[in-house]
Amino acid sequence: MDRNDWKVVGIFLFLLFMVALTAGCQSPAASPSGQNESNEQSAGEAQQQEGESGEQTLKLLIPNYYNEVEREQWARVIERFTELNPEIDVNVENGDVRVESGSLTALLQSKVNTPDAILMNAGPSRISLLSDAELIRSLDDLYDKNDWQDAIRPFAYQLISGNEHIYELPHMIDAIAHFYNIDVFEEHGVEVPETPEKYIEMLEQLAAVDGVDPITVGARNGYAIGWLFGVMIEAMAGTEKLEEILYGDGSWNDPEIVKVAETLVEWVETGFIPQEAVTLTEADSKFKFLNKQAAIYTGGTYLITDLAQENLQDSVGFFMMPSFLDGKTARPTGGIGQSWVIPTDAKNPEAAEAWLEFILSSDYAEVVYSYPDYNFILASTAAVEAEPAGDVLKSAAVDVEDGSGYNPSVFIGVETGESYFQNLQGLVGGLISAQEAMNNIEEGAQKDKENGFQLNR
C-alpha cells in the first residue's frame, strides 16, 4: 500500500471516529434531572450497554415540560419506575407530540432515534393517521396478555376499542368545564349556579361589572373556542345528540345544534363573551383570567399547572355549566386527552410494556396524585382509589368518575375539524350566521365520510 493509500485510510478512520463521537454526544431536548449532559444513546449504544451490563434502555418521548413543576414531577415518576425496575435504564426526550404539526410523523418515518414509547395527544383521527401508516404497532397482544381492558376505566376503554385493533393505552382523561375566580364571585355576590336559570342570571350579574369579562375565550385559537362550544353542546343539546352526530346518522346542522350556535352569537352580542374574543389567543384569555380580569375561563385541568405557578390554587374553583335539558345532568366534556403508543420500529418493546404496566399501576397514581399541582385525571382504574391532593383536580375527577361528555374537537375528522374551528371563529366575529356555520361544518363531515373516516364503538 503506497503513501497516498495510507492517507485515504487515515482520513476514513478520522471521519469514522468523528461520526462516532458526534453520535455519543447527542442529548435530548430535556431530561427529568434538568441537566444538559448526554442522556440519549443511539440504538447501537443501547444494545451494547444491555449486552455488557445486563440493563435495558427504555427511550421515552413525552411532551415538552410546561414548567419546572412538571419537570420535577416527571423526575419523581422516573425515579419510582427505576426503583421497581432496576434492570431498565430510562432515557427521556421531550418534543412535539402533536400529529397536526407533522413532526411526530416525520420522526417515526425517519426511523432515526425511534422512541420505545410515546405519550401523544390522543383522538381517533390522530391515532388512525399513525396506525394506517403502520408507524405504531397494535397493542392487542398486550391487552390480552396483561388484561389491560380491566385496568382502564370502562368508558375510556369504550372510546378506544371500537375498531378491529387497539393502538393506544389511554393515559389521562380530559375534563373540560368552567374555572371561575372565587374572589370575583364573592366580591360581586355571585354564586355558582345549579340551574340554567341561575346560570343566565349569573352571566347577567357579571356583565354588569366594569372591567371584568363574564366569560373569556381565546377564539383566535380554534381549539379554545371549541372547548367552550363543546361545553355548550353538552349542556344545551346533550350527550345523546352529539353521539348521534359522531357515531350515527346525525348532522351538525341539526336544529338543536344550530340553536346552540345561535346562543353563542347571542352571548357575544349581549356581552357575556367580549367581542374582542375573536382577536384573543388562548394565552391572552388565560392571562386575563389569572389576573382577575375575567370571571370564567373554559378549559381542561391543564390550567392547574398555571394556577400552581401563580399560587392561585385556593382562589379558583371548577364547575360545569348546568344542563338546560329537563331531567338531565351535564358532565364536563372530554375524551382521551393523551395516550401511550409503541412505534413499530421500537428497539425495546419489552421495556415499553413494563413502562405501560407501571403507568396503569397504583404506584404511578400515588406518586403523581401526591402533588397538589398535578393536572391530569388518570385513565387507570387504579387511580380511582387514589385521591388527588389538589382540590381543583379532586373536584374534576369526581365529575368524570363515571364518564364525561364529548369534546367534539378530538372526535372529528380532518375536514370537519378545519371547518369546525373556522366557523366557530366566524360566529364569534359576527362574520357568519349560525345556520351557515353549521351547514359548513356538516359539509366537512360529509367529506370526511367520503374519505373513509368513521368512528365506531
Side-chain angles (χ1 to χ4, degrees):
M1 184 179 294
D2 61 28
R3 182 176 300 177
N4 289 333
D5 291 332
W6 281 111
K7 287 183 178 179
V8 171
V9 171
I11 292 171
F12 174 79
L13 291 175
F14 176 77
L15 292 174
L16 186 61
F17 171 78
M18 291 303 296
V19 169
L21 181 63
T22 302
C25 293
Q26 295 299 315
S27 63
S31 65
S33 66
Q35 298 175 345
N36 292 324
E37 291 87 2
S38 174
N39 195 32
E40 188 66 64
Q41 295 175 312
S42 69
E45 289 176 309
Q47 291 168 355
Q48 182 181 5
Q49 178 184 0
E50 182 177 354
E52 293 177 353
S53 65
E55 289 187 344
Q56 303 178 59
T57 299
L58 171 65
K59 299 165 69 172
L60 300 177
L61 175 61
I62 64 175
N64 292 314
Y65 298 129
Y66 191 79
N67 55 23
E68 288 302 314
V69 170
E70 191 172 8
R71 185 191 297 272
E72 293 170 7
Q73 292 172 357
W74 273 103
R76 177 60 188 127
V77 166
I78 301 301
E79 181 183 14
R80 181 57 178 151
F81 176 78
T82 53
E83 289 172 358
L84 298 171
N85 301 272
E87 75 283 2
I88 301 178
D89 180 45
V90 182
N91 287 339
V92 178
E93 185 169 351
N94 304 85
D96 187 350
V97 294
R98 299 170 302 146
V99 169
E100 294 87 341
S101 70
S103 60
L104 181 58
T105 305
L107 170 66
L108 296 178
Q109 288 175 334
S110 73
K111 300 185 179 183
V112 176
N113 198 30
T114 303
D116 295 309
I118 300 172
L119 180 59
M120 61 173 286
N121 290 7
S125 61
R126 294 167 178 153
I127 298 294
S128 63
L129 190 149
L130 299 182
S131 63
D132 290 348
E134 300 183 352
L135 296 174
I136 55 176
R137 56 161 289 191
S138 165
L139 303 182
D140 293 347
D141 58 329
L142 299 183
Y143 272 84
D144 292 339
K145 174 184 175 183
N146 301 302
D147 294 323
W148 282 351
Q149 66 276 8
D150 299 324
I152 301 169
R153 300 181 194 230
F155 71 92
Y157 180 70
Q158 182 183 21
L159 291 176
I160 65 163
S161 59
N163 294 314
E164 183 178 359
H165 299 290
I166 299 177
Y167 289 90
E168 61 185 302
L169 183 77
H171 180 70
M172 54 81 68
I173 301 162
D174 273 332
I176 299 171
H178 288 333
F179 290 86
Y180 71 101
N181 268 310
I182 295 174
D183 294 343
V184 172
F185 271 51
E186 291 181 347
E187 180 180 351
H188 300 286
V190 180
E191 297 182 354
V192 174
E194 297 183 358
T195 67
E197 294 79 15
K198 289 293 185 180
Y199 184 85
I200 298 300
E201 182 179 316
M202 172 201 72
L203 293 178
E204 291 172 343
Q205 284 182 267
L206 292 170
V209 177
D210 292 334
V212 176
D213 297 333
I215 299 175
T216 184
V217 58
R220 271 185 63 186
N221 294 118
Y223 60 85
I225 186 60
W227 291 339
L228 175 59
F229 194 64
V231 166
M232 294 177 68
I233 291 177
E234 166 70 13
M236 298 176 184
T239 301
E240 292 79 8
K241 176 60 63 177
L242 197 48
E243 287 179 336
E244 291 177 10
I245 297 172
L246 298 176
Y247 296 101
D249 297 325
S251 64
W252 284 101
N253 51 10
D254 181 288
E256 293 183 44
I257 304 299
V258 173
K259 178 61 179 175
V260 178
E262 290 172 345
T263 301
L264 176 62
V265 174
E266 291 171 4
W267 285 5
V268 175
E269 293 174 346
T270 55
F272 296 166
I273 299 171
Q275 292 183 344
E276 69 167 357
V278 72
T279 68
L280 297 179
T281 65
E282 194 270 334
D284 296 332
S285 173
K286 190 185 333 184
F287 178 86
K288 296 190 70 172
F289 178 76
L290 296 175
N291 286 276
K292 304 185 187 302
Q293 298 169 16
I296 294 171
Y297 166 93
T298 305
T301 55
Y302 303 95
L303 186 69
I304 293 173
T305 302
D306 296 280
L307 300 179
Q309 192 171 17
E310 301 295 330
N311 294 317
L312 296 174
Q313 298 101 311
D314 296 330
S315 62
V316 171
F318 183 84
F319 77 97
M320 178 58 187
M321 183 186 300
S323 177
F324 285 62
L325 305 174
D326 292 338
K328 297 290 186 179
T329 299
R331 297 177 295 182
T333 65
I336 308 301
Q338 291 182 335
S339 282
W340 290 95
V341 297
I342 299 179
T344 304
D345 294 311
K347 300 297 187 296
N348 199 342
E350 294 81 10
E353 177 184 357
W355 173 259
L356 298 187
E357 278 276 272
F358 170 66
I359 291 296
L360 293 174
S361 71
S362 58
D363 287 291
Y364 178 80
E366 289 168 2
V367 167
V368 296
Y369 275 0
S370 68
Y371 287 90
D373 40 21
Y374 187 70
N375 63 0
F376 285 166
I377 300 172
L378 300 179
S380 67
T381 54
V384 177
E385 304 300 324
E387 185 175 272
D391 290 337
V392 175
L393 189 65
K394 187 185 304 180
S395 174
V398 170
D399 288 343
V400 297
E401 184 172 345
D402 297 319
S404 67
Y406 292 90
N407 170 24
S409 304
V410 300
F411 289 93
I412 52 183
V414 174
E415 296 288 345
T416 316
E418 291 181 0
S419 183
Y420 186 72
F421 296 138
Q422 290 174 1
N423 282 276
L424 292 183
Q425 290 167 331
L427 287 174
V428 175
L431 304 176
I432 193 171
S433 71
Q435 185 67 61
E436 290 172 327
M438 295 302 105
N439 286 345
N440 291 340
I441 296 171
E442 177 58 23
E443 287 180 11
Q446 292 304 318
K447 290 180 182 178
D448 280 327
K449 289 181 179 179
E450 292 171 3
N451 293 332
F453 180 80
Q454 178 64 49
L455 291 182
N456 298 301
R457 291 191 293 176

